[in-house]
Amino acid sequence: MEYRCVQCGFGIRTLYVQYSPGNIRLMRCENCKAVADEYIECEIMIIAIDLILQKPKAYRNLLCNVLRPEIVNFEGSLWKLCVGFLLLDAYRSLLLRKSNEEWGSSFSLSSLVWTCQRVLVDVVVGNLMFLLAFFVATRTLCNTSLTVSRCKDLLLAMLVSSYFKIFLFAMMVWEFPPSVVYIIDLYVLSSNSIALRVRTGSALNHCIAACFTAHAVKFLAPELLTFRS
């Protein structure tokens, strides 16, 4: 698997040549003639800031040049990210239900069980529908073939680019209005779109449409099940 130039996404065999410990020379991209991956010499904080600013080159560095099977435990990382993502989604659902005053003075064991059931439906059904809609929309709108390895790469990109969900934990310390949850959702949608563009090379508007479709299905599916019941 080739590395990718963070500027243009062109394939490159190696990112740098090491002459001695601490003495390296960064390679240049044959396509755009720029340094293929300038983040090699950057601190982690610089990369984190560029990810928050949603710079495509930061996503190319992370998804194409860092999170590689020969560098990290790909399968293990995927499972850990899935667990973390589901836990954050469950906490999001609890925050919204608390803001809707579903927990009141009459809170009892039965209401606790009912709330847990609703959260479970939101997380499990919502994310299953999200994955189904995401892969179908990506195949249709981005003209991307969906092999097993390709699906794993796209799933990893979605999980990694949903990192902003971690800021939900700030609501445990500070009192924020419920609208903050939806602001975080919008940021995650935008970040997912950039990551999908980096992974597929499709037009940004197609990636936004694919991610928006998947998120809309995710949020509407549990509500439709509740309405029917």
Side-chain angles (χ1 to χ4, degrees), residues 5-23:
C5 170
V6 299
Q7 304 292 340
C8 65
F10 192 76
I12 184 172
R13 287 190 297 177
T14 183
L15 299 175
Y16 63 90
V17 176
Q18 183 173 4
Y19 298 107
S20 62
N23 182 17

Side-chain angles (χ1 to χ4, degrees), residues 97-202:
R97 297 194 177 282
K98 184 178 179 180
S99 67
N100 291 333
E101 298 182 353
E102 295 186 4
W103 298 351
S105 57
S106 59
F107 186 73
S108 61
L109 179 60
S110 59
S111 62
L112 175 62
V113 172
W114 184 86
T115 301
C116 291
Q117 289 177 344
R118 290 298 307 124
V119 170
L120 186 62
V121 169
D122 287 347
V123 173
V124 176
V125 176
N127 282 290
L128 286 176
M129 296 303 297
F130 171 82
L131 287 178
L132 178 61
F134 171 71
F135 288 132
V136 171
T138 301
R139 176 68 181 87
T140 304
L141 297 174
C142 300
N143 296 321
T144 301
S145 59
L146 295 179
T147 61
V148 174
S149 60
R150 187 62 166 169
C151 287
K152 288 182 178 179
D153 288 339
L154 292 175
L155 177 58
L156 182 66
M158 289 300 100
L159 293 173
V160 170
S161 61
S162 299
Y163 64 89
F164 208 74
K165 282 179 178 286
I166 200 171
F167 286 95
L168 289 169
F169 286 125
M171 300 181 73
M172 297 177 63
V173 181
W174 295 285
E175 291 291 336
F176 288 108
S179 58
V180 172
V181 176
Y182 298 107
I183 293 173
I184 291 175
D185 289 340
L186 288 175
Y187 191 94
V188 171
L189 170 61
S190 176
S191 183
N192 289 163
S193 302
I194 299 297
L196 182 60
R197 182 189 182 190
V198 165
R199 268 307 186 185
T200 63
S202 301

Side-chain angles (χ1 to χ4, degrees), residues 16-52:
Y16 63 90
V17 176
Q18 183 173 4
Y19 298 107
S20 62
N23 182 17
I24 64 174
R25 179 171 68 87
L26 300 182
M27 302 300 293
R28 290 187 174 273
C29 174
E30 297 178 359
N31 183 51
C32 65
K33 309 304 179 183
V35 173
D37 193 344
E38 63 202 48
Y39 289 107
I40 292 176
E41 296 183 330
C42 292
E43 298 290 337
I44 295 179
M45 187 57 65
I46 301 297
I47 302 175
I49 291 173
D50 281 357
L51 287 172
I52 293 174

